[in-house]
Amino acid sequence: MSIITLQSVKKDFGIKEILKDASFSLDATDKVGLIGTNGSGKSTLLKMIAGLESIDSGQILVNSGSKIIYLPQLPDLDENHTVLEQVFADSGEHMSLVREYEELSDKLAHYPDDSQLMSRLSVVMQRMDTSGAWELETNAKIILTKLGIFDFEAKISTLSGGYRKRIALASALLAEPDVLLMDEPTNHLDALSVEWLQSYLNRYRGALFLITHDRYFLDKVTNRIIEIDRGDIYTYTGNYSYYLEKKALAEESAVSSQRKHQGLLRRELEWLKKGPKARSTKQKARIDRAHALRDTEFKQVQGKVDISTVGRRIGKKVIELNQVSKAYNGRTLINNFTYEFSPEDRIGIIGANGAGKSTLMDMIIGRVKPDSGIAEIGTTVHIGYFDQHSEELLTALNENQRVIDYIKEEGEFIKITDGTQITASQMLERFLFPGNQQYAPINKLSGGEKRRLFLLRVLMSAPNVLILDEPTNDLDVQTLAVLEDYLEDFAGCVIVVSHDRYFLDRTIDTVFSFEEGGNLRQYPGNYSIYLDYKKAEEAALQQAANTKDKPKNVEVQNVAASPKGGENQKQRRLSNWEKREFEQLEGKIAQLEAEKVEVEKTLANVSAGNYSQVQKLYDQVEKLKKAIDVATERWLELAEMES
């Protein structure tokens, strides 16, 4: 059944036609990935479906009663809310019950013998049971924890943009809408959180319509791909791998058809040049066909970003870090780190959000001084730094500056790998900025186009050391694929900070992982090989725990920075209200299990012909199973903290 239907929708921003005549539908079981080059209109399409952007013509039909949640790249949250208040902002009575429960629990921790407080808490807990607020709160805390949020009472105003995005994501998941529209949901998530979200969405029963640069994520979550290509919509039934296969075949077929068309047109034009007289109906038809062939227009294969800038020579000494350390507010981010980067290095830096990855990059380029130790850069080194905040840098320069003027600041002419020189305008065309966009102000570009423009500026500077801090954020998958190919042949040192598993697998051969206490541990190989190492270590630890033997030479990764940069989750002890929650969950789980058994007995005795009753009881069993899973997962989480 279709939940959302687009019929002949058109959208034009003047300098760019976003949709020419878009028609497609979104069914209840669809998990759709929306792809296209930066600036093609992906975010605009999501906003139109969400009702936040107008359409020029056509119509968007939404099934009556369907609940749609839109998660933008930059969510707007209430600065005065706490984390839990924001997550429950649309939950009405549920939120007030949860709030009252937590306040009473906190008071009872100070006045455990207060009978009035105990009585009121009992009433609130009964109402939470009846309304389902208990499961809602438990599920919310599980989701927040999985996304790296541990301080549920932190004020939104104190949190970074990355944490705000994760809170908005938790709120969207908790709402369980019929349709979930998500714009780059994996931005600001570490690899473990991305894997959890991937698993969660695979079990999600509603429809998904999402934009993401994470190709592993796209491949695992989606069952349908919709591509925007210069105003046209193309649909592929299958995941991202299927799309790539069919897209390649379609482009080959288009090229073949155009080649055949050109051959036929050539023959017909030669026939026309001989001056045939239209003495018969047959000859007249052939003349008309020749004219029709001549007037036929073919849509060219989508242009691809062309990265062919020249680098420069690099000496043996690149970057040397000798026992560097850095701490903020009493928390050690980098502890006594020593490493000598070589010209051939392909290094990936990974770790939890807030662990210190960007700080390390800033120390390398000299933007931040270490508290102790020495950071030295070789005399021949020219660093190209693609900062994760490059969009902000662009805006800070001059948002009214024209695109071409911004590029000309680096040079009027650019030398490319074949030794020839091209103009700044030609280089912009290679980066998919057509003439009309080149003379537009930077503030007219999408976020992804700004990132691509900044990447061009960085590469035009002919670096021999590339530092890429979260390069995949907001870049389209086509540009990422070309950037990966470029890095394979790049004659210099590459240092990548990223949570993108696919990008890391393609571009690096060594991993440095931020681990407990600001220590960086080196692992050989790409990200997938690193995961194999971690799984082997965990298996060894588990075996040692089972045999009560202390493992030898096994280090445990335990990095999970809180929003305030405090202790990680394993070090944090249960609060008083969490202890009460832990004590009550065991009885709650037993109660749910008993209810499920009773409903299953009733279901077994219902006549198969009574379909409506069977369906009702089956849905009740499924609901109870879900509630048991949620409560059990929360109990296990609290039990681990208690131990």
Side-chain angles (χ1 to χ4, degrees):
M1 180 185 71
S2 295
I3 299 179
I4 297 172
T5 302
L6 275 70
Q7 295 180 347
S8 301
V9 173
K10 295 182 180 180
K11 183 69 177 179
D12 195 328
F13 282 133
I15 63 171
K16 181 180 291 184
E17 190 175 30
I18 300 299
L19 293 177
K20 295 178 180 177
D21 188 20
S23 296
F24 67 88
S25 62
L26 188 68
D27 293 340
T29 58
D30 275 340
K31 288 183 169 60
V32 179
L34 180 62
I35 65 174
T37 58
N38 291 133
S40 61
K42 301 186 296 295
S43 294
T44 300
L45 177 54
L46 254 62
K47 290 176 184 176
M48 288 192 291
I49 294 174
L52 302 175
E53 181 76 47
S54 64
I55 61 176
D56 294 338
S57 63
Q59 55 183 340
I60 299 177
L61 306 175
V62 179
N63 196 25
S64 177
S66 296
K67 183 179 181 181
I68 299 175
I69 294 290
Y70 168 58
L71 178 69
Q73 290 193 45
L74 299 173
D76 184 20
L77 307 183
D78 190 326
E79 297 279 322
N80 297 316
H81 275 169
T82 66
V83 170
L84 271 183
E85 285 172 343
Q86 183 63 52
V87 168
F88 291 137
D90 298 323
S91 300
E93 182 189 3
H94 288 154
M95 177 58 210
S96 62
L97 286 173
V98 171
R99 185 77 267 163
E100 188 174 2
Y101 165 75
E102 291 183 349
E103 289 175 355
L104 289 169
S105 296
D106 186 59
K107 289 178 181 177
L108 276 168
H110 296 89
Y111 308 103
D113 299 325
D114 191 319
S115 59
Q116 288 186 339
L117 288 176
M118 286 294 294
S119 177
R120 180 58 190 162
L121 181 63
S122 177
V123 172
V124 170
M125 289 174 61
Q126 288 177 5
R127 290 178 61 192
M128 289 178 70
D129 286 339
T130 304
S131 66
W134 183 276
E135 286 77 15
L136 187 68
E137 184 198 22
T138 301
N139 202 14
K141 291 173 180 175
I142 290 173
I143 291 174
L144 286 166
T145 302
K146 294 295 186 182
L147 295 176
I149 306 292
F150 306 117
D151 187 352
F152 306 140
E153 297 303 316
K155 287 283 188 181
I156 298 298
S157 59
T158 66
L159 304 180
S160 68
Y163 280 102
R164 295 182 187 210
K165 176 67 178 284
R166 280 181 269 170
I167 291 165
L169 173 58
S171 182
L173 296 177
L174 194 67
E176 295 190 336
D178 300 297
V179 181
L180 190 50
L181 308 174
M182 311 175 81
D183 196 345
E184 296 291 358
T186 62
N187 278 5
H188 306 294
L189 296 184
D190 59 32
L192 291 177
S193 294
V194 170
E195 289 180 10
W196 173 84
L197 179 60
Q198 177 180 296
S199 175
Y200 186 96
L201 293 180
N202 280 331
R203 303 190 305 269
Y204 183 69
R205 293 187 178 182
L208 295 175
F209 197 26
L210 60 91
I211 302 168
T212 181
H213 62 266
D214 190 319
R215 285 152 289 177
Y216 280 152
F217 188 86
L218 200 59
D219 206 42
K220 296 293 185 182
V221 171
T222 62
N223 57 23
R224 191 169 159 218
I225 298 292
I226 290 180
E227 179 184 23
I228 303 181
D229 182 1
R230 290 159 289 179
D232 292 324
I233 292 286
Y234 300 93
T235 299
Y236 301 82
T237 303
N239 62 5
Y240 183 65
S241 296
Y242 178 86
Y243 155 78
L244 289 177
E245 179 184 343
K246 295 302 178 183
K247 178 71 172 178
L249 291 174
E251 290 187 349
E252 288 176 11
S253 177
V255 170
S256 176
S257 296
Q258 189 170 357
R259 191 181 297 116
K260 290 177 182 177
H261 174 271
Q262 290 171 342
L264 182 57
L265 177 60
R266 191 182 305 111
R267 290 194 296 272
E268 294 299 301
L269 289 175
E270 289 173 356
W271 179 79
L272 280 176
K273 287 177 182 178
K274 293 177 182 178
K277 298 178 181 179
R279 291 175 296 182
S280 68
T281 302
K282 185 175 181 181
Q283 285 180 317
K284 176 113 177 19
R286 186 168 182 181
I287 292 172
D288 291 342
R289 184 178 71 173
H291 289 156
L293 285 169
R294 183 187 60 194
D295 295 338
T296 300
E297 292 185 4
F298 278 85
K299 188 170 188 176
Q300 298 297 316
V301 172
Q302 171 70 56
K304 292 181 172 61
V305 175
D306 183 4
I307 302 177
S308 55
T309 56
V310 173
R312 64 182 79 193
R313 187 187 70 83
I314 186 171
K316 291 183 178 180
K317 182 176 180 179
V318 183
I319 299 166
E320 294 181 3
L321 302 179
N322 186 17
Q323 295 184 329
V324 295
S325 296
K326 189 67 182 179
Y328 285 108
N329 299 321
R331 177 173 172 247
T332 300
L333 295 181
I334 300 163
N335 181 32
N336 200 32
F337 177 56
T338 297
Y339 185 74
E340 184 176 328
F341 293 87
S342 74
E344 299 82 22
D345 267 344
R346 296 291 188 273
I347 305 292
I349 310 291
I350 65 172
N353 290 303
K357 303 183 296 298
S358 294
T359 299
L360 178 61
M361 299 304 101
D362 287 341
M363 281 204 301
I364 288 174
I365 67 170
R367 185 183 292 174
V368 171
K369 298 296 183 184
D371 295 337
S372 61
I374 299 173
E376 293 182 342
I377 298 177
T379 56
T380 62
V381 168
H382 183 84
I383 295 176
Y385 187 22
F386 187 57
D387 191 346
Q388 64 172 315
H389 304 298
S390 54
E391 181 180 339
E392 296 174 13
L393 293 175
L394 279 170
T395 304
L397 288 174
N398 183 357
E399 63 177 9
N400 295 316
Q401 186 179 28
R402 297 187 304 179
V403 170
I404 193 164
D405 293 334
Y406 175 73
I407 289 301
K408 281 183 176 180
E409 288 179 349
E410 190 64 44
E412 294 273 353
F413 295 92
I414 300 95
K415 190 174 183 180
I416 57 177
T417 49
D418 63 5
T420 61
Q421 285 192 334
I422 62 174
T423 65
S425 179
Q426 289 172 321
M427 195 67 194
L428 279 166
E429 287 180 355
R430 290 179 174 223
F431 258 60
L432 302 187
F433 292 103
N436 61 338
Q437 267 195 315
Q438 293 179 18
Y439 290 89
I442 289 172
N443 61 15
K444 294 293 184 182
L445 301 180
S446 70
E449 286 173 318
K450 290 178 182 179
R451 295 273 289 171
R452 187 177 350 121
L453 181 66
F454 189 79
L455 174 62
L456 171 58
R457 177 78 179 259
V458 169
L459 297 180
M460 281 176 58
S461 67
N464 48 29
V465 173
L466 266 177
I467 298 178
L468 307 175
D469 191 355
E470 297 293 356
T472 64
N473 285 359
D474 299 325
L475 285 181
D476 57 69
V477 293
Q478 294 91 334
T479 301
L480 288 176
V482 177
L483 177 59
E484 288 158 1
D485 291 338
Y486 170 83
L487 293 178
E488 283 186 4
D489 300 322
F490 178 72
C493 176
V494 177
I495 306 171
V496 179
V497 174
S498 182
H499 293 135
D500 190 311
R501 302 159 295 174
Y502 190 100
F503 189 82
L504 289 173
D505 277 351
R506 281 287 315 270
T507 58
I508 67 167
D509 53 28
T510 302
V511 170
F512 276 102
S513 172
F514 272 81
E515 307 203 346
E516 188 174 1
N519 295 308
L520 276 85
R521 184 178 175 193
Q522 183 176 350
Y523 296 83
N526 62 17
Y527 185 75
S528 290
I529 295 173
Y530 158 79
L531 288 180
D532 289 340
Y533 275 105
K534 298 307 292 183
K535 288 176 182 176
E537 288 181 357
E538 289 171 5
L541 283 170
Q542 185 61 47
Q543 183 179 3
N546 292 339
T547 58
K548 297 188 182 300
D549 289 335
K550 190 173 182 179
K552 296 179 180 179
N553 301 323
V554 179
E555 297 180 34
V556 185
Q557 183 186 27
N558 183 18
V559 182
S562 70
K564 296 182 179 179
E567 296 178 337
N568 57 47
Q569 176 70 355
K570 288 188 178 179
Q571 292 172 327
R572 190 170 69 84
R573 306 300 299 174
L574 292 180
S575 64
N576 288 326
W577 64 264
E578 282 175 327
K579 288 179 181 178
R580 290 183 179 276
E581 181 186 6
F582 180 51
E583 292 167 358
Q584 293 154 0
L585 271 173
E586 190 168 346
K588 183 69 176 178
I589 293 168
Q591 178 187 338
L592 290 169
E593 291 279 9
E595 288 181 28
K596 183 171 78 74
V597 170
E598 290 301 317
V599 176
E600 285 174 337
K601 287 180 181 178
T602 306
L603 179 61
N605 295 323
V606 174
S607 170
N610 191 348
Y611 176 77
S612 60
Q613 181 68 3
V614 169
Q615 185 63 44
K616 181 179 178 181
L617 290 169
Y618 175 78
D619 290 343
Q620 193 174 347
V621 170
E622 290 300 306
K623 185 178 179 180
L624 286 166
K625 284 181 179 178
K626 183 176 180 181
I628 291 168
D629 289 342
V630 168
T632 303
E633 187 170 357
R634 178 61 174 167
W635 184 89
L636 290 170
E637 179 189 336
L638 294 172
E640 184 178 355
M641 293 165 61
E642 177 72 6
S643 61

